[in-house]
Amino acid sequence: MEKNGEKVANPAAKGRETSEFLMAIVRTLSTSADFQQREKEKARIEKTFTESDKKLGELVSENYQDLTQITQDFSTISKSVNEAREKIKKIKDDLSSCKTLLHCKRDELRRLWIEGVEQKTMVAMLDQIEQIKEVPTKLDNLLLKKHYLHGTELVVNAVAKLENQLVGVEALRDLKAELITRKEQLHEVLIEELNRQIYIKSQTPNFSSLPGKKGGSVAKQDTLKRKERNGVPPPEKIEFGKEVKEDLNSDPEDDPTHFIAILVESLYMLRKIPEAAEGLKVRIQPELSAIVARTSQLLLESTSNQVDASNQSQCLLDLLENIFHQFRFVAHMHKMVLRNLDRIIVSGVPVRQECLYDMTDVWSKIQAVVELLLREYLDVENTSASRQRAPTSFDEPSTDINSFFAKKRPAKPKKMALFRFDASIHAISTNSYVDDSRAFDTGDLFSSSLLAEMGLEKNQMVCKPSVYNITAIFRPLESFIREIEDAIACQDGTSSLQAFVTDFVQNIFLGHVHYTVSTSITSATKGFDALRHVVDHKTQKELGVNRPLLTSTVTVDKNLQELRELMQDLPDYADQFLNMICNTLKEYRDTCHSAYREIVQYDSDERRVISAMWAKDEDISRFLRSLPSWRSLQSSRGQELASEDVCSEEEIKALNSKEAQILISNLTSSDGLIQQEIITDVTQMRTIANVHESLEWFFNRMKDFSNGLSARSTATAAETAASEYPPVSEKTLGSLKNLVKDFQDLAEICLLLLHLEVRVHCFYFLLPVAKQSNYAGPIDDLDPDSNVLKLNKDLTSMEEVLQQSLQPKKFKYIFESLGFLVASILMNSIQYMKKINENGIKKMCRNLFAIQQNLTNITMSRESDLDHARQYYELLYINPDDVITMIAEKGCQYTFQEYTELVKLHHRSHPALSPSQLEQRMQKLKEVIFKTPNGEHTP
């Protein structure tokens, strides 16, 4: 026998070994022949016994307590065993007695057993009845706490018991009918709760971006994060592999994802999945419309109905952003519902596919509701009846600016009103009252059928319907449409909502914008006084200009600014709006050219004033643009002058002299005078100045705009991101820059015209001074020549109108070097004088002095060139020989031609002098001048 790998001796074997050991000792002692050996063996045995006895005594001493305890335990166990034996014996005797008795009463025992089973069944049935009676109360409590899974399980099990185990209990008939009714109604409660979770729980409108609110975007992000944390995670994260269980100790709405699964599982237990799917599908559009109505009402309440014209678009934008946010949540919830329905179907529940719906149905209903909403706020019903077509493209061939100044056939005179009352105080006040009364009266603007379909009341509109509402909502609307198209993966690439928006913009909005802009510009630019009206001082201050601008130009710029803003608001249609801008610029350019021609023409033959012909002349225009005074104007506009363009005083004087010689050579002749080839009405001068300032201001604004655009074919991603406007067609952009250049050219031509017109006026009044006046009279006339007085009056009038209309540098450009020109005209006119005496010399000096005083008051400079001219005429006091001697001594101050004309006039004034004397003096003059140190300055 082994235990734990060790051999354990059997007691019987151990006793046998001991007896064998004793027999071996006895055999050894008996067989020993020697006594001594026996004694030795005996001694050894005794010694061993003594050691064993000693060891036994030690062991007994060491284990005394254990031995005592063992002895006591053995006694107790022995006693218990004996008692048990007695009891078992007694039981055996009792069992034998019972067996004998049972054999005697077998039938009675069977009856009692059957009665016991019946009693048990009755008790169990009574317990079930008691539980069934408590089902309505328990069901109410569970439904109140929204523990729908337990409630559904409770009522389903109760009805099953009533229809099976308790089917024969007549007392439960009413309770059974009640529970069956409640079971049938429970799926409606579950569907209603599903709809509430999908639609009502999605309502978290945030109107913090409206006036009086703050932190719009931040608060909106916080709302989204809160909904992500406390609401539903993205449907893709939902795991459906786990069994759906319900915790009675928690609020089921804390986890909407799990709550949706519980509701769908409850419907599955009721076998109402098809009815639930149909109920959800039917309720989509009405519930979405209800969201729109509720959000609109909340928005109106949050603004306390204080919506004015300035923030109406912002209200609509806030409304749509909140509606889009809620619709996204609705779509997420529907996606969770559908995934749970798919889980049920995968588990093997037979459901007809046509009874279900999918996300395409949901997004289709969302698009339908948004489209209805947009139809109302974009005023589609009222606007589509009067559609206007917008220009499809702008394609103007390259044109030469000079073609607009060429002669054209006279147009038939247009009939126009002599005056209008639309700008009178009464008309303005009346129109203002009417506009204010209509500002937010939307009662009759909406289609009652559409309002009914949307579930909106007439007083629930957050802003006035207008096609321009699209500008505020286009970007978020397009973003939402892209989400829809990504979600439903459109086969044709375009959703129904996108088709509606595209149709609205292309067929309604663009045409309406074009009509509005055209009407506004036409009313501002048409009429005989279109170029006479200028903006008031308040508008000037708002525009940041210090000189009057034409009302028509400001109106055109305002309309183009609106089109530029539309390019930003509707970037997908930037090319169309740029086409409108180009068409508007072309029409306004033609209008300005027509008005310009009307000013510079002075008879029915379309003959033009001299200054206009000169401004058109390429050689004269190019020369005038090369002068330092013109280049200084360009530098004042931000163009830096190169170092080689900076002229010295001598060079400036030489250039002014050249300008004067060009003008004199074109305007002076021996027999001709300027007749009607000038602008006699100074108000026309003011108009031209206003046109110049307006077009230059307009050109700079349009230039900044065109420089901010980039062509779609060449724009890089970085340029597109940094640009304020979206990329546009390269061809249209080129046309725009050409048109902008045309406005620059016309503005410069107007300024050149003024520059030349003032100088032509000087010729107009000063040429008769020498050709028609008498300077050899016997009486000393103390007054200047009448033409000089007229010139001074004319210059003063032009100063008054131009100083108010032109900037200081341009005003200086108009009158700068005018003294030099006047001096040159009068000095050159000496050749037309027949004779002159001292009284005539004094008169000419008075003429020069009078002009000098007037020009000094205008230019605020001495005008020393007129002193030079006066000194020239004063040389007539001196004998020609003395003049020649002075030249030899001091050098020449005038040109050879000027000295020649001076000597000739002296001889004409003294008939006694012979022609030979004239020839001698001319020869001497020539020799002296060309030998003087300053002779190199003479021609």
Side-chain angles (χ1 to χ4, degrees), residues 300 305-309 311-312 315 377 434-443 445-446 458-465:
L300 291 174
N305 294 316
Q306 297 176 352
V307 180
D308 53 24
N311 64 351
Q312 284 193 25
C315 287
Y377 281 105
V434 173
D435 292 341
D436 291 342
S437 64
R438 293 177 179 175
F440 206 67
D441 183 14
T442 60
L445 295 175
F446 305 107
K458 290 184 179 180
N459 58 357
Q460 281 186 311
M461 308 302 293
V462 300
C463 71
K464 183 178 179 180

Side-chain angles (χ1 to χ4, degrees), residues 65 125 340 372 673 875:
Q65 292 182 354
M125 187 176 293
N340 279 280
L372 286 175
L673 292 175
L875 291 177

Side-chain angles (χ1 to χ4, degrees), residues 65-226:
Q65 292 182 354
D66 293 338
L67 289 172
T68 304
Q69 184 65 36
I70 290 171
T71 304
Q72 292 176 355
D73 292 342
F74 178 78
S75 299
T76 303
I77 292 171
S78 177
K79 182 179 179 181
S80 299
V81 170
N82 292 329
E83 290 177 354
R85 285 176 178 174
E86 293 295 330
K87 289 180 179 180
I88 289 172
K89 183 179 179 181
K90 184 179 180 181
I91 289 171
K92 282 184 177 182
D93 295 341
D94 292 340
L95 286 175
S96 298
S97 302
C98 287
K99 185 176 180 182
T100 304
L101 292 174
L102 285 174
H103 276 291
C104 297
K105 298 185 177 181
R106 179 180 299 177
D107 295 336
E108 184 178 357
L109 287 174
R110 181 174 295 172
R111 181 181 60 80
L112 292 174
W113 177 78
I114 293 173
E115 289 180 357
V117 171
E118 291 176 353
Q119 291 294 328
K120 271 187 176 182
T121 303
M122 292 296 293
V123 169
M125 187 176 293
L126 289 174
D127 289 339
Q128 290 180 0
I129 292 173
E130 291 296 326
Q131 292 175 1
I132 293 296
K133 290 173 63 178
E134 295 175 358
V135 165
T137 304
K138 289 182 179 180
L139 181 61
D140 290 338
N141 293 332
L142 290 171
L143 296 183
L144 184 63
K145 296 178 180 179
K146 299 191 176 182
H147 293 302
Y148 292 110
L149 188 59
H150 282 80
T152 304
E153 187 176 3
L154 179 65
V155 72
V156 168
N157 291 336
V159 170
K161 289 179 181 180
L162 288 171
E163 291 178 346
N164 293 298
Q165 296 97 323
L166 304 178
V167 66
V169 182
E170 291 296 324
L172 298 177
R173 184 177 56 185
D174 294 339
L175 181 60
K176 177 181 178 181
E178 178 187 354
L179 290 179
I180 291 175
T181 302
R182 297 198 64 173
K183 178 186 175 183
E184 294 297 325
Q185 295 174 348
L186 183 57
H187 84 279
E188 298 178 0
V189 175
L190 295 173
I191 295 174
E192 188 65 30
E193 183 62 36
L194 263 179
N195 283 312
R196 197 183 77 83
Q197 291 295 319
I198 293 172
Y199 302 105
I200 307 298
K201 297 290 284 185
S202 67
Q203 287 214 40
T204 55
N206 172 51
F207 307 120
S208 53
S209 60
L210 292 176
K213 311 292 180 182
K214 58 183 179 178
S217 59
V218 176
K220 192 168 292 185
Q221 292 297 326
D222 291 343
T223 302
L224 292 175
K225 290 178 181 178
R226 185 169 61 253

Side-chain angles (χ1 to χ4, degrees), residues 878-889:
I878 307 174
N879 187 279
D881 294 329
D882 295 335
V883 172
I884 294 172
T885 303
M886 187 186 302
I887 295 172
E889 293 175 355

Side-chain angles (χ1 to χ4, degrees), residues 680-862:
T680 56
D681 187 358
V682 292
T683 58
Q684 297 284 56
M685 302 280 284
R686 177 192 290 117
T687 300
I688 294 174
N690 290 336
V691 169
H692 163 74
E693 287 290 346
S694 301
L695 293 186
E696 185 180 65
W697 171 83
F698 184 64
F699 152 72
N700 287 325
R701 289 178 62 82
M702 294 308 300
K703 181 182 178 183
D704 293 340
F705 167 62
S706 63
N707 290 338
L709 295 176
S710 58
R712 189 179 297 107
S713 58
T714 60
T716 62
E719 291 174 345
T720 303
S723 177
E724 188 178 359
Y725 300 96
V728 295
S729 166
E730 184 175 4
K731 182 179 180 181
T732 310
L733 181 58
S735 299
L736 173 66
K737 292 184 176 180
N738 291 334
L739 289 168
V740 172
K741 183 66 169 57
D742 290 345
F743 282 101
Q744 180 187 16
D745 293 341
L746 183 55
E748 292 179 353
I749 286 175
C750 288
L751 188 60
L752 290 175
L753 175 72
L754 294 174
H755 178 86
L756 292 169
E757 185 64 26
V758 172
R759 281 149 181 76
V760 174
H761 277 235
C762 293
F763 282 97
Y764 178 78
F765 288 106
L766 293 179
L767 288 180
V769 170
K771 292 184 177 183
Q772 296 178 351
S773 298
N774 182 15
Y775 288 92
I779 301 175
D780 185 9
D781 191 357
L782 299 178
D783 294 326
D785 190 273
S786 61
N787 284 300
V788 170
L789 295 177
K790 291 178 183 178
L791 173 62
N792 282 338
K793 182 179 179 181
D794 190 53
L795 290 175
T796 302
S797 300
M798 289 189 292
E799 176 212 5
E800 291 176 355
V801 298
L802 295 180
Q803 195 169 32
Q804 296 173 358
S805 303
L806 292 176
Q807 298 177 24
K809 285 191 175 183
K810 297 173 185 175
F811 178 80
K812 179 183 177 182
Y813 169 72
I814 298 297
F815 290 95
E816 190 178 31
S817 73
L818 195 61
F820 183 88
L821 177 66
V822 171
S824 300
I825 294 172
L826 292 178
M827 290 170 64
N828 185 72
S829 298
I830 195 172
Q831 60 183 313
Y832 304 119
M833 294 181 182
K834 296 178 180 179
K835 61 176 65 176
I836 191 171
N837 58 17
E838 289 188 5
N839 292 334
I841 296 171
K842 291 178 182 178
K843 183 177 182 180
M844 181 57 73
C845 291
R846 290 191 190 100
N847 291 340
L848 288 165
F849 183 71
I851 295 173
Q852 184 180 27
Q853 280 187 317
N854 192 32
L855 285 178
T856 300
N857 292 332
I858 293 174
T859 63
M860 304 306 293
S861 62
R862 171 66 184 168

